[in-house]
């Protein structure tokens, strides 16, 4: 394990899951080693990155996340429980020309819906896109922060994802409507939508949102 973390320049596929607050001494040592590695190591050959830190508190703040350079070969990226500001990971989202799979769980990655849409607009090779918080995860921050209804009435532009084959959204109804309005992809793509709002929340299925959808 120590040897693997000491040679990040050789890593092509990396999967990390840390989903509990309760660690033994060995577990705490391992978590420390993992975060030191994530902060310091550039991984130029990285093709697949899957990091799940849900329910694990990141402490302290880490100024970099797998270095600061965008891995040029990154194809598949999955992040859950990762927050900009704790682990600086915006450079991982800047592999637009090769990224084919993007899977985002809880964890704030963008400061606004506008910033998220600008980033998605660069991902022309994306084949699979999932943005998901199930009903139990809704109290946790999502990749895209909340926005008001007025934010949906933006300039009428499309975000072209010509190679998209699967779209999976398990999010608030407002965010689903926003993404369905602005993403443009082939009609052959598989679309799976789940609105995870409180079923009793008033105004969720408002006529305005349904008309936009």
């Amino acid at each position: 394990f120590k040897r693997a973390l000491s040679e990040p320049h050789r890593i092509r596929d990396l999967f990390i899951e840390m989903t509990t607050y309760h660690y033994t001494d060995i577990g705490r040592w391992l978590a420390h080693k993992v975060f030191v590695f994530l902060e310091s190591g550039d991984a130029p050959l990285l093709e697949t990155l899957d990091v799940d830190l849900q329910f694990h508190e990141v402490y302290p703040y880490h100024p970099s996340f797998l270095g600061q350079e965008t891995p040029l070969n990154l194809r598949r990226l999955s992040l859950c429980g990762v927050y900009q500001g704790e682990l600086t990971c915006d450079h991982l989202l800047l592999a637009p020309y090769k990224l084919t799979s993007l899977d985002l769980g809880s964890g704030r990655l963008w400061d606004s819906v506008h910033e998220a849409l600008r980033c998605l607009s660069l991902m022309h090779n994306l084949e699979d896109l999932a943005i998901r918080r199930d009903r139990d995860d809704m109290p946790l921050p999502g990749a895209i922060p909340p926005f008001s209804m007025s934010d949906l009435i933006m300039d009428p532009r499309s975000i072209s994802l010509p190679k998209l084959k699967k779209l999976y959204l398990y999010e608030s109804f407002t965010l689903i409507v926003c993404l369905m309005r602005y993403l443009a992809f082939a009609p052959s793509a598989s679309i799976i939508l789940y609105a995870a709002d409180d079923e009793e929340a008033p105004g969720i299925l408002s006529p305005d949102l349904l008309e936009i959808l």
Side-chain angles (χ1 to χ4, degrees), residues 68 77 98 100 108 134 150 176 193 195-196:
Q68 297 179 330
L77 176 62
K98 293 186 177 180
T100 61
R108 183 66 46 78
D134 63 28
S150 60
I176 289 174
L193 307 176

Side-chain angles (χ1 to χ4, degrees), residues 186-199:
S188 59
S190 171
I191 304 172
I192 303 172
L193 307 176
Y194 291 97
D197 300 279
D198 186 342
E199 293 178 348

Side-chain angles (χ1 to χ4, degrees), residues 73-92:
N73 295 313
L74 189 63
R75 301 288 196 280
R76 296 168 293 277
L77 176 62
S78 178
L79 300 175
C80 183
V82 176
Y83 293 81
Q84 291 277 23
E86 293 179 350
L87 286 169
T88 302
C89 56
D90 52 345
H91 61 295
L92 297 175

Side-chain angles (χ1 to χ4, degrees), residues 171-184:
E171 266 288 352
S172 70
F173 187 68
T174 303
L175 181 57
I176 289 174
V177 170
C178 177
L179 293 176
M180 289 299 294
R181 175 176 180 176
Y182 288 102
L183 300 183

